Amino acid sequence: MPAAGTWPQLTSFYRYRPDNVALLEDNFTSRQVMTLRLSQDLIGLLSENSARQRAIQAQTEVTASQLRKSKKAALLQFREDYLDFLANRNRAAHNKELIAIYERLLELHETRYRHQEGLLTDVLKVETDLAEAQGLLEYYQARLEKQKA
């Protein structure tokens, strides 16, 4: 809203002409003259408009900066989530291979134990390792399902 000094100003002038004074303004014969003047402080109006435009420009720049910052943060979060997804997928695949190895190793140790060539502690150790690998696989698969959702 413009300041009070920039509103147009309306001023009036009244002139009375005595009988013996002649006006040369288009054979003007009236003795009384009323004049209205409308004036505007253009410099004040323009400076106020430019100040308002500078404020709007500054606010636009701040908003654009915040938008760029939000975009960068969203892109960074997306990249982190994607890399986490890839890491979980690789870990799940690795644990599947590890489970297959532990299952073959368990069969080998159980066979050796049955033929009395191995120890029961070796069998129990492989069973523990197999259970741990299966638990990790379930954990990574659950994380993958959560990330896909």
Side-chain angles (χ1 to χ4, degrees), residues 59 69 94 100 103 108 111 119 132:
Q59 183 62 35
K69 184 179 177 182
H94 172 73
E103 286 173 346
L108 176 69
T111 304
L119 300 172
E132 183 181 327

Side-chain angles (χ1 to χ4, degrees), residues 16-83:
Y16 175 75
R17 178 180 59 84
D19 287 337
N20 58 357
V21 175
L23 294 175
L24 299 174
E25 300 172 352
D26 296 327
N27 294 327
F28 194 72
T29 58
S30 174
R31 293 182 61 175
Q32 298 177 5
V33 177
M34 178 74 161
T35 306
L36 294 175
R37 182 186 302 169
L38 185 64
S39 63
Q40 175 77 43
D41 180 12
L42 293 177
I43 295 173
L45 183 65
L46 292 175
S47 65
E48 182 179 317
N49 283 344
S50 66
R52 191 178 314 125
Q53 287 174 348
R54 284 191 304 272
I56 290 170
Q57 181 66 28
Q59 183 62 35
T60 303
E61 289 173 6
V62 167
T63 304
S65 173
Q66 290 171 344
L67 181 62
R68 284 191 302 272
K69 184 179 177 182
S70 296
K71 283 182 179 180
K72 284 181 182 179
L75 182 60
L76 179 63
Q77 184 62 43
F78 172 76
R79 287 178 179 171
E80 288 176 357
D81 291 344
Y82 182 69
L83 290 175

Side-chain angles (χ1 to χ4, degrees), residues 98-108 110 126 130 134:
L98 196 58
I99 287 171
I101 291 171
Y102 279 134
E103 286 173 346
R104 287 187 300 172
L105 193 58
L106 180 61
E107 288 176 23
L108 176 69
E110 284 176 343
V126 173
L130 177 61
Q134 288 172 338

